[in-house]
Amino acid sequence: MTDSTEAVAVPKLSTGIASFDVIAKGGLPRNRTTLISGTAGSGKTILAMQFLAAGIRESGESGVFVTFEETAEDIRKNMWSFGWDLDQWERDGKFAFVDASPDPSVETVEIGPFDLGGLLARVQHAVKRLGAKRVSVDSLGAIFSQFSDQSVVRRELARIAFALKSMHVTALLTAERAEEYGPIARFGVEEFIADNVMVLRNVLDVEVRRRTIEILKFRGADHQKGEFPFVIAEGKGLAVIPLTAIRLRQHSSSVRISSGNADLDGMCGGGFFRDSVILISGATGTGKTLTVTQFMQGGAAQGERGLLLGFEESREQLFRNATGWGADFEGMERDGHLKVVCDYPEVMGLEEWLLRIQETVREFKPKRVAIDSLSALERVGSIKTFREFVIGVTSFIKEQEITGLFTATTTSLMGGTSITETHISTLTDSIILLRYVEMFGEMKRGITVLKMRGSEHDRGIREFKIDRDGMHLGRRFRNVTGVLSGAPVHVSPADLERAWGQYDAELGDRSSAAPRGARQGERRGSGRHG
Amino acid sequence: MEIIDVLEQPEIAETHRILATPTLIKELPPPLRRVIGDLSDKEKVLLGLELRKSNEERGKPAS
């Protein structure tokens, strides 16, 4: 994409930074100047350089970098970690610096009226020499500190911005600001010399830095509104996570896939949907990792690839668990049906995790993705960031038309909901609860399908056992109630009969309403005992 | 004394990292000095280049 399709709108220049072009709806307005304002360390210089690097790499467009602050040498070194070989591009005539950084070794005295004609001539010369299409200026504020006559600098910056337009280049100008939410830029003039304004933020959010980019205005051109999280990744540069730009264009497949357990498939009305996201919630040890293991095994049995992202247990532990349940993870990996990635959630922010997961999925191309557990990731950021992360992952999974299985750990052993659940339950298509049930001095396990979007499912709470072959579903908990709330109450068979009898009398038809009848009976029974 | 028009020879402006016009560079005798701005006031130029001491400075030791 180079130009916008609408003839009336200002044509856009695809920056070559794919994720940025999404929120900029095609790219930066062509042959115009765009200001990027941000506090210290918000990533302005990186974006300014990435704009040029992407031009050189993606569309063969040369670029000129004008620096008022850091020396060309420093920038050259700093940008090396992103894989941008400025030296090589300079030799190829694709890139040039105009170094206007202050030289501390030379003392300069202002004795009368002046203009910045020297700088302008250098920029024009560099643009002409390379046939450059892109210019980055970093940063406007720094030029003010080089001269005592601020009014001259203001006038001259406006003149340079105007000259850039006549050179037919698309330019990015950076400017510093003192606060994350305050005046756009320090000197109060920067935003007036540019056609378009963007803001980079680096806000401390629950002890974690959260980077966002916002397009404030594109004169005569459309763009996405609001703040979008972004990350600065080594070897790449800035990558925007366009959350609200993700469209709900799910196909809602009616194709069913096996959960890896025939009994559970039966409870779900014939298996999980192909492009759906399932949440498994339960206390520690209830069988969440087992459900994940079976999910992977079920995929491999169909010759499908599965990706398992473990955030709670080590790789060795996961493999040992799997062997204990009769699943051969090693063999599955050898056959290319499985990829297990284990790491501490804390090694990076959630935005980075989202990108990492997307990358891994694109590379490995699995049909199934499991995250064990989401609760572990929740610790890394704020609730807002976590929600955004889950939205990002779920929409990505649906977009890829694959199946996602996430686990959430409840804090209390008996019943209760997990924090994870409350934040994301509306985002998932299906919710399966695993619970401990205390009965006659014994801990039993119960499973129920709470929600199954777009399908009928078993509404009962079934007991299940775990042995060397995995999970085995048994009968319903018929004579107990309050399993999900964590306070199971036993109902005597006599009470149960009476409750059922009453219910049947009301309905008149016991057989067709049996599942509901059972539930109803249990509830009444609990009332008596309570 | 060499006069350069930055528009005609921008590469020389690049080598000397010139921003403002006019800029007067004094290379010899050291120290290296730069003066920017209108050069019509001879007194200011010489002061800026440290080729002459100001009246006050000259006056100070005497008083």
Side-chain angles (χ1 to χ4, degrees):
Chain A
M1 195 197 314
T2 47
D3 285 344
S4 159
T5 45
E6 296 140 77
V8 202
V10 174
K12 299 262 182 88
L13 171 84
S14 168
T15 60
I17 309 166
S19 59
F20 172 79
D21 286 353
V22 172
I23 65 159
K25 292 204 174 163
L28 288 175
R30 189 184 283 270
N31 298 345
R32 301 237 170 153
T33 52
T34 302
L35 183 83
I36 319 167
S37 188
T39 51
S42 59
K44 301 182 295 291
T45 307
I46 297 167
L47 180 56
M49 187 59 87
Q50 192 176 359
F51 170 62
L52 302 185
I56 294 166
R57 280 184 174 168
E58 306 297 326
S59 31
E61 293 174 339
S62 312
V64 172
F65 194 96
V66 184
T67 174
F68 290 147
E69 199 164 11
E70 293 174 272
T71 64
E73 278 326 296
D74 283 347
I75 295 175
R76 216 184 285 274
K77 274 180 224 139
N78 298 344
M79 296 301 152
W80 184 254
S81 65
F82 296 109
W84 303 329
D85 191 347
L86 305 183
D87 293 327
Q88 184 59 45
W89 292 338
E90 270 178 321
R91 282 194 292 275
D92 296 345
K94 292 268 169 207
F95 175 85
F97 269 116
V98 171
D99 191 342
S101 60
D103 185 347
S105 67
V106 181
E107 201 176 323
T108 305
V109 190
E110 285 169 43
I111 60 161
F114 64 93
D115 60 27
L116 296 181
L119 173 66
L120 184 56
R122 289 167 64 190
V123 174
Q124 280 170 328
H125 172 62
V127 167
K128 206 171 157 188
R129 185 166 62 87
L130 303 184
K133 290 279 168 228
R134 302 177 181 213
V135 172
S136 284
V137 179
D138 181 59
S139 70
L140 296 183
I143 193 94
F144 281 97
S145 58
Q146 292 193 41
F147 298 96
S148 56
D149 194 342
Q150 310 270 294
S151 63
V152 171
V153 178
R154 268 169 218 204
R155 186 194 69 214
E156 290 299 298
L157 283 179
R159 188 159 78 103
I160 291 170
F162 186 77
L164 284 170
K165 281 202 209 176
S166 63
M167 287 180 231
H168 298 290
V169 294
T170 307
L172 270 190
L173 319 170
T174 71
E176 307 82 39
R177 62 204 303 237
E179 298 160 49
E180 296 295 358
Y181 294 92
I184 287 177
R186 183 163 291 156
F187 294 90
V189 290
E190 296 93 327
E191 69 259 41
F192 299 110
I193 65 167
D195 299 304
N196 315 305
V197 178
M198 305 196 291
V199 176
L200 298 183
R201 291 191 179 89
N202 187 22
V203 182
L204 196 58
D205 182 17
V206 198
E207 296 181 5
V208 179
R209 284 278 168 194
R210 185 180 139 84
R211 294 179 185 279
T212 61
I213 181 168
E214 179 183 15
I215 298 172
L216 283 187
K217 66 164 184 185
F218 269 5
R219 265 182 207 155
D222 199 12
H223 60 86
Q224 301 268 355
K225 315 281 188 299
E227 290 182 35
F228 294 89
F230 73 87
V231 297
I232 294 173
E234 207 172 300
K236 280 200 189 73
L238 182 145
V240 184
I241 302 161
L243 288 173
T244 52
I246 297 165
R247 268 168 245 126
L248 281 171
R249 46 152 188 241
Q250 297 139 17
H251 301 281
S252 273
S253 156
S254 55
V255 177
R256 302 267 189 169
I257 60 149
S258 171
S259 67
N261 182 300
D263 295 337
L264 184 55
D265 287 348
M267 279 191 87
C268 295
F272 300 150
F273 285 116
R274 168 90 280 164
D275 54 356
S276 70
V277 171
I278 302 106
L279 182 74
I280 308 276
S281 158
T284 175
T286 43
K288 296 188 300 296
T289 305
L290 168 60
T291 317
V292 165
T293 304
Q294 290 186 337
F295 182 61
M296 291 292 117
Q297 203 180 10
Q302 305 285 315
E304 291 178 357
R305 272 197 282 262
L307 172 66
L308 170 52
L309 303 154
F311 293 109
E312 290 200 335
E313 287 168 294
S314 68
R315 201 183 146 80
E316 289 70 30
Q317 185 70 46
L318 281 174
F319 276 60
R320 206 158 45 226
N321 292 345
T323 310
W325 297 316
D328 178 17
F329 270 11
E330 266 169 47
M332 281 158 66
E333 260 201 342
R334 213 169 31 242
D335 299 339
H337 289 139
L338 179 71
K339 188 182 174 76
V340 179
V341 178
C342 289
D343 216 330
Y344 287 109
E346 286 83 2
V347 295
M348 51 187 153
L350 285 178
E351 290 91 352
E352 274 131 325
W353 270 120
L354 178 58
L355 286 188
R356 170 77 67 86
I357 292 169
Q358 291 181 344
E359 262 169 39
T360 316
V361 168
R362 287 206 186 93
E363 274 166 27
F364 186 60
K365 296 182 175 56
K367 278 286 188 192
R368 297 163 179 235
V369 177
I371 298 180
D372 188 29
S373 70
L374 269 189
S375 305
L377 285 168
E378 197 176 354
R379 296 195 300 262
V380 182
S382 67
I383 288 167
K384 186 175 189 282
T385 318
F386 179 68
R387 252 192 84 87
E388 284 178 351
F389 166 80
V390 177
I391 294 173
V393 173
T394 46
S395 50
F396 175 74
I397 282 177
K398 281 159 181 278
E399 213 175 86
Q400 302 289 312
E401 290 172 46
I402 58 181
T403 320
L405 185 78
F406 306 156
T407 67
T409 312
T410 49
T411 40
S412 59
L413 281 181
M414 308 284 290
T417 51
S418 68
I419 310 159
T420 314
E421 234 174 276
T422 43
H423 295 314
I424 68 157
S425 58
T426 51
L427 303 174
T428 59
D429 300 297
S430 306
I431 299 175
I432 295 171
L433 302 184
L434 303 178
R435 292 287 184 264
Y436 281 119
V437 185
E438 186 194 337
M439 283 182 86
F440 308 112
E442 195 188 338
M443 272 301 198
K444 291 179 185 295
R445 292 185 174 93
I447 182 170
T448 188
V449 179
L450 198 65
K451 161 172 140 182
M452 183 87 194
R453 204 174 271 169
S455 167
E456 267 306 302
H457 63 88
D458 187 341
R459 286 167 201 279
I461 304 167
R462 307 254 308 254
E463 186 185 346
F464 71 94
K465 287 193 168 68
I466 298 174
D467 65 16
R468 292 179 55 84
D469 303 317
M471 181 188 281
H472 303 281
L473 268 62
R475 43 174 301 189
R476 285 165 178 239
F477 287 101
R478 277 184 181 273
N479 51 349
V480 62
T481 184
V483 170
L484 295 185
S485 64
V489 174
H490 302 287
V491 185
S492 73
D495 279 345
L496 205 59
E497 271 310 308
R498 221 175 304 149
W500 271 356
Q502 205 177 349
Y503 185 71
D504 293 342
E506 281 167 15
L507 263 185
D509 184 357
R510 183 173 172 167
S511 58
S512 69
R516 279 169 184 264
R519 279 219 316 187
Q520 197 76 10
E522 283 160 12
R523 206 174 292 148
R524 286 175 194 210
S526 115
R528 278 167 190 239
H529 284 254
Chain B
M1 178 87 165
E2 195 182 354
I3 296 170
I4 288 146
D5 184 338
V6 292
L7 293 175
E8 281 170 19
Q9 292 177 289
E11 60 286 350
I12 296 180
E14 184 61 50
T15 319
H16 291 275
R17 296 177 54 177
I18 304 296
L19 301 179
T21 42
T23 297
L24 178 62
I25 305 174
K26 181 206 74 173
E27 291 189 327
L28 285 169
L32 187 72
R33 277 306 201 126
R34 282 180 183 223
V35 166
I36 60 171
D38 189 75
L39 300 172
S40 52
D41 189 333
K42 187 182 161 195
E43 192 69 17
K44 278 188 178 173
V45 175
L46 293 176
L47 279 173
L49 294 177
E50 284 185 15
L51 289 175
R52 178 186 291 178
K53 286 182 177 171
S54 72
N55 286 328
E56 293 140 51
E57 281 176 68
R58 274 188 294 175
K60 268 177 201 163
S63 65

